[in-house]
């Protein structure tokens, strides 16, 4: 692998000068000149601008009216660039909108009063009308009138916070809090947060800004970070450190991605999980929020409209607690950018769209369903050869690493979207990976490829220049994770087969799956015929047929008949996802030929509609790794 690099020389010097100039411009922008409200502005006296007091907004007004929501609340951008929802039209609210341009507020809607002033001509004190207050109601009428002229505004869908986004032209946009950043060719451009492309970006607390100069793969700190990541004792050393590096990139891409892969690192004491968090956190310093054993409420209260990443350590499985499961649910929703509604004050729901990336770690992960695991790359860590030591002196550069990686993403966004993602999707799709698995592993691999280039990935053991070999390797490496994620119909059959029949036979309680296996074997192979199996299966409201004995289905194997209801089945599925008849719906989702269309079957003397499971077809499907 190439020697660890970072950008040096004249390019780094130019970047440092650009940072210094921007800091000076920021400081100068705070020194706003706001003339006395009694003085004319561009020849216009206080309160006498065209359209005063409420037909139009004043000229050069520092407050920008965004619009109203469906309930009539007005949203504005304050003089400082922050979004404000105006719920009260009192002086504290107006002061907050216009500060530090309060003289402009008074000049625009002046209230006059008499004041004794010294007249130099007569050398006496005389009374004079001066601006001494704000005509609050006129200001309110002007702002509401302006809002009514604009389209309705929904802050839950139209307001974007800090982090990565994509505009309608497919360009990557970074919101750093104080600036919007975009790359045009190789030129980095910045603008103040504003309404752009149908979305509102507003000033917020600052996060990282992209490096001022282009960063090549050879200069990238990602190479040094990848070398550091290789020192952990990974289960898949040729793949897992690459997936972590890829997550660092996708964490910054945030809301610009169609799917935001989740990383879950597991391992016992002494495997280096905390040190791993430290390395990843350093690479994302200033952008990532880290926490230990947090709650979902704490996360979405912090995230709000941002697309910035979260790292959660010690997300352990704890009996009697659903805290970890709720955090996993939030990450699952954020994977594809789903809406989350939570109750708020006065019993009104608050809705926001989660588009954050998540990195979890634990000794024992909490219970997760297939819908959770399919969105994750599960990474297993083993004991280090020297507990507490990674085997390498790591160099962390939190001030620059994340900024350089962000600049790489911005410069390479088109290549990532138009070339790397489709290429990896094709490679993995040809090896039978599902669309969800491609979104997870393909996105992480493409992001890592963007940062370090193909030669480095080849050095670590990924044959990226040989698509067939690479596809086979990734498919094999992720096979166990993917086979653990059973489809609902498959999980339903497994739950049924593992359930005991509450009747003793030959000194044991048989399972439904055991009886079905005997039926599938048949008498010729030492199993049972349908009569023998039926005696046991009817005890749990199930029926069965011998191979080839179902009318119109001469080629079907041995059949298990499952009705839509039955007290024993209700008890079997009571504490599962398939309770209250849900098993019947789940079985209908099976591939054609495994679960056959419903027909009437007599069970315990009563005729009922049943779905038919072809046991031979299910056995072939399971044996084939489906």
């Amino acid at each position: 692998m190439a020697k660890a690099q970072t950008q040096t020389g004249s390019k780094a010097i130019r970047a440092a000068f650009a940072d210094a100039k921007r800091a000076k411009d920021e400081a100068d922008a705070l020194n706003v000149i706001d003339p006395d409200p009694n003085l004319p502005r561009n020849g216009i006296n206080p309160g006498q601008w065209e359209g005063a007091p409420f037909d139009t907004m004043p000229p050069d007004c520092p407050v920008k009216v965004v619009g109203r929501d469906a309930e009539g609340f007005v949203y504005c951008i304050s003089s400082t660039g922050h979004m404000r929802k105006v719920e009260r039209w009192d002086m504290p609210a107006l002061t907050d909108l216009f500060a530090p341009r309060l003289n402009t507020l008074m000049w625009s809607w002046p209230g006059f009063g008499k004041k004794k002033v010294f007249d130099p001509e007569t050398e006496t004190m005389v009374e004079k009308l001066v601006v001494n207050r704000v005509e609050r109601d006129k200001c309110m009428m002007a702002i509401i009138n302006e809002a009514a002229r604009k389209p309705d505004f929904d802050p839950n869908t139209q307001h974007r916070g800090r982090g990565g986004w994509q505009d309608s032209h497919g360009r990557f946009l970074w919101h750093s809090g104080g600036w919007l950043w975009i790359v045009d060719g190789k030129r980095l451009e910045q603008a103040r947060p504003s309404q752009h492309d149908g979305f509102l970006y507003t000033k917020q607390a600052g996060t990282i800004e992209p490096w001022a100069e282009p960063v090549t793969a050879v200069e990238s700190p990602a190479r040094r970070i990848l070398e550091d990541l290789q020192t952990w004792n990974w289960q898949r050393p040729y793949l897992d450190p690459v997936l972590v590096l890829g997550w660092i990139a996708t964490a910054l891409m945030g809301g610009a991605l169609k799917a935001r892969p989740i990383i879950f690192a597991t391992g016992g004491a002494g495997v280096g999980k905390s040190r791993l968090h430290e390395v990843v956190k350093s690479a994302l310093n200033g952008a990532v929020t880290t926490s230990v054993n947090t709650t979902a409420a704490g996360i979405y209260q912090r995230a709000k409209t941002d697309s910035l990443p979260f790292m959660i350590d010690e997300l352990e499985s704890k009996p009697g607690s659903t805290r970890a499961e709720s955090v996993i649910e939030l990450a699952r929703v954020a994977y594809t950018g789903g809406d989350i509604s939570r109750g708020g004050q006065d019993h009104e729901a608050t809705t926001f769209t989660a588009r954050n990336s998540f990195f979890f770690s634990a000794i024992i992960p909490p219970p997760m369903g297939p819908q959770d695991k399919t969105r994750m790359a599960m990474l297993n860590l083993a004991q280090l050869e020297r507990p507490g030591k990674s085997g390498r002196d790591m160099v962390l550069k939190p001030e620059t690493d994340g900024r350089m990686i962000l600049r790489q993403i911005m410069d390479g966004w088109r290549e990532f979207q138009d070339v790397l993602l489709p290429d990896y999707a094709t490679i993995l799709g040809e090896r039978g990976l599902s669309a969800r698995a491609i979104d997870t592993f393909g996105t992480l691999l493409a992001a890592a490829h963007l940062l370090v280039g193909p030669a480095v990935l080849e050095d670590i053991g990924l044959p990226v220049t040989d698509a067939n070999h690479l596809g086979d390797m990734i498919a094999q490496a992720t096979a166990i994770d993917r086979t653990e994620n059973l489809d609902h119909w498959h999980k339903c059959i497994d739950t049924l087969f593992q359930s005991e029949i509450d009747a003793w036979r030959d000194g044991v309680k048989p399972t439904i799956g055991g009886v079905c296996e005997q039926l599938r074997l048949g008498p010729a192979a030492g199993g049972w015929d349908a009569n023998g199996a039926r005696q046991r299966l009817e005890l749990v409201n199930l029926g069965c047929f011998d191979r080839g004995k179902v009318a119109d289905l001469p080629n079907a194997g041995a059949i298990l008949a499952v009705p839509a209801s039955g007290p024993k089945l209700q008890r079997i599925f009571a504490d599962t996802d398939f309770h209250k008849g849900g098993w019947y719906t789940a079985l209908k989702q099976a591939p054609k030929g495994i679960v056959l269309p419903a027909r009437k079957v007599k069970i315990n003397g009563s005729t009922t509609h049943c779905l038919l499971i072809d046991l031979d077809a299910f056995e072939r499907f399971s044996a084939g790794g489906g």
Side-chain angles (χ1 to χ4, degrees):
M1 181 178 291
K3 187 177 180 180
Q5 297 284 333
T6 190
Q7 192 174 86
T8 58
S10 59
K11 291 175 70 176
I13 293 173
R14 287 198 301 269
F17 270 103
D19 288 345
K21 183 180 183 302
R22 187 162 56 252
K24 181 179 182 302
D25 292 342
E26 289 273 4
D28 293 343
L30 295 176
N31 299 320
V32 180
I33 298 175
D34 195 24
D36 188 302
N38 293 282
L39 299 177
R41 299 190 177 193
N42 295 323
I44 303 173
N45 290 322
Q48 295 182 15
W49 38 273
E50 185 177 355
F54 46 70
D55 286 345
T56 64
M57 292 292 285
D60 301 321
C61 183
V63 173
K64 307 301 179 185
V65 180
V66 177
R68 296 186 299 180
D69 64 17
E71 296 182 359
F73 290 110
V74 174
Y75 292 82
C76 298
I77 305 301
S78 72
S79 291
T80 56
H82 300 89
M83 188 177 81
R84 293 288 187 261
K85 176 183 178 181
V86 185
E87 300 185 70
R88 297 173 61 89
W89 295 97
D90 53 17
M91 282 310 299
L94 295 181
T95 300
D96 177 59
L97 280 178
F98 281 85
R101 304 282 296 277
L102 296 182
N103 282 345
T104 298
L105 172 62
M106 297 180 71
W107 177 87
S108 301
W109 295 280
F112 294 92
K114 293 180 179 181
K115 181 179 180 181
K116 286 189 176 182
V117 298
F118 180 76
D119 186 349
E121 294 184 1
T122 62
E123 298 184 348
T124 60
M125 299 297 291
V126 298
E127 286 190 340
K128 185 178 180 181
L129 287 177
V130 296
V131 178
N132 63 0
R133 68 185 188 279
V134 175
E135 289 282 1
R136 184 185 61 189
D137 289 350
K138 291 179 180 178
C139 176
M140 171 200 67
M141 294 168 70
I143 293 176
I144 293 178
N145 205 31
E146 180 72 8
R149 286 191 285 264
K150 295 181 177 292
D152 282 358
F153 175 71
D154 183 357
N156 298 318
T157 59
Q158 294 175 262
H159 185 209
R160 285 180 170 179
R162 300 167 300 169
W165 304 96
Q166 183 173 251
D167 67 12
S168 62
H169 303 289
R171 298 176 299 182
F172 183 87
L173 184 149
W174 178 259
H175 183 4
S176 66
W179 296 94
L180 294 180
W181 304 84
I182 201 165
V183 166
D184 183 5
K186 287 294 181 181
R187 187 175 70 254
L188 183 66
E189 298 181 350
Q190 66 185 89
R192 287 296 183 187
S194 61
Q195 283 185 300
H196 173 74
D197 205 27
F199 294 95
L200 177 66
Y201 302 85
T202 55
K203 185 177 179 181
Q204 298 179 39
T207 183
I208 66 170
E209 297 177 348
W211 193 247
E213 289 289 316
V215 179
T216 65
V218 174
E219 298 170 322
S220 175
R223 295 193 172 195
R224 182 186 73 249
I225 294 169
L226 183 58
E227 287 186 347
D228 289 344
L229 292 172
Q230 286 181 265
T231 61
W232 272 263
N233 195 0
W234 301 99
Q235 183 182 45
R236 302 169 298 197
Y238 56 89
L239 177 62
D240 292 345
V242 176
L243 297 179
V244 174
L245 180 67
W247 185 86
I248 292 173
T250 60
L252 293 174
M253 294 174 182
L257 289 171
K258 181 186 75 170
R260 281 155 287 281
I262 304 164
I263 291 284
F264 206 129
T266 66
V271 302
K273 295 191 300 297
S274 297
R275 181 63 170 163
L276 176 62
H277 267 253
E278 184 181 349
V279 170
V280 177
K281 176 185 175 183
S282 174
L284 297 171
N285 185 58
V288 68
T289 298
T290 60
S291 182
V292 176
N293 193 25
T294 187
T295 64
I299 293 172
Y300 56 70
Q301 287 170 5
R302 178 66 182 266
K304 297 181 180 177
T305 57
D306 291 345
S307 67
L308 298 174
F310 285 82
M311 296 183 68
I312 315 297
D313 196 7
E314 299 181 17
L315 194 70
E316 306 289 345
S317 176
K318 295 183 179 180
S321 173
T322 60
R323 175 182 296 183
E325 287 91 324
S326 65
V327 174
I328 295 291
E329 178 186 2
L330 175 58
R332 184 180 74 240
V333 172
Y335 181 90
T336 49
D339 290 338
I340 294 178
S341 296
R342 290 292 183 267
Q345 295 180 349
D346 303 323
H347 305 287
E348 292 193 8
T350 299
T351 301
F352 75 99
T353 302
R355 291 191 176 91
N356 313 90
S357 296
F358 287 84
F359 189 113
F360 300 123
S361 64
I363 296 175
I364 301 177
M368 291 182 284
Q371 70 274 24
D372 303 314
K373 293 181 180 179
T374 55
R375 292 167 168 83
M376 294 181 181
M378 300 291 295
L379 311 182
N380 297 312
L381 289 163
Q383 187 82 29
L384 294 171
E385 293 182 4
R386 293 186 298 161
K389 301 290 185 180
S390 66
R392 167 185 165 92
D393 293 330
M394 298 183 186
V395 178
L396 305 180
K397 297 186 177 181
E399 301 84 4
T400 58
D401 284 353
R403 297 181 60 199
M404 289 187 183
I405 289 173
L406 176 58
R407 181 60 193 267
Q408 279 188 276
I409 293 169
M410 298 185 73
D411 286 338
W413 181 250
R414 288 293 188 185
E415 179 189 5
F416 174 78
Q417 282 284 83
D418 299 342
V419 179
L420 295 177
L421 267 183
D423 283 353
Y424 277 96
T426 300
I427 291 169
L428 300 183
E430 290 177 348
R431 294 305 176 275
L433 271 70
S434 67
R436 182 73 50 76
I438 292 171
D439 284 342
T440 299
F441 292 101
T443 303
L444 293 172
L445 290 168
H449 188 139
L450 175 69
L451 296 187
V452 298
V456 172
L457 297 184
E458 289 275 352
D459 289 344
I460 201 175
L462 283 179
V464 293
T465 56
D466 185 342
N468 292 332
H469 189 189
L470 176 65
D472 290 338
M473 179 179 287
I474 301 301
Q476 183 177 358
T478 60
I480 295 177
D481 292 340
R482 292 183 288 111
T483 53
E484 289 178 352
N485 304 324
L486 297 179
D487 292 328
H488 281 289
W489 68 269
H490 198 159
K491 184 179 177 182
C492 177
I493 295 177
D494 275 7
T495 301
L496 186 65
F497 280 10
Q498 292 164 19
S499 301
E500 290 182 336
I501 298 173
D502 195 16
W504 293 89
R505 298 279 180 173
D506 302 323
V508 296
K509 282 185 177 181
T511 63
I512 295 173
V515 174
C516 288
E517 178 63 14
Q518 294 296 320
L519 175 64
R520 191 182 69 82
L521 292 174
W528 301 335
D529 62 10
N531 289 330
R534 189 176 295 114
Q535 293 177 18
R536 295 161 175 80
L537 294 174
E538 285 191 340
L539 295 173
V540 285
N541 307 128
L542 298 170
C544 62
F545 295 92
D546 284 316
R547 184 177 287 104
K549 296 298 184 181
V550 178
D552 303 326
L553 296 173
N555 297 321
I559 294 292
L560 175 67
V562 183
S565 62
K568 299 296 184 181
L569 289 175
Q570 293 283 9
R571 186 177 303 171
I572 287 172
F573 291 111
D575 296 323
T576 72
D577 295 336
F578 314 109
H579 65 288
K580 296 183 178 179
W583 68 82
Y584 205 73
T585 301
L587 291 177
K588 290 180 180 179
Q589 299 170 5
K592 185 178 180 181
I594 295 176
V595 176
L596 308 175
R599 61 183 60 205
K600 291 182 178 180
V601 178
K602 182 173 287 188
I603 299 175
N604 293 323
S606 176
T607 301
T608 182
H609 278 88
C610 296
L611 291 172
L612 307 183
I613 300 176
D614 187 327
L615 298 176
D616 288 344
F618 179 67
E619 174 67 17
R620 290 192 297 270
F621 180 88
S622 300

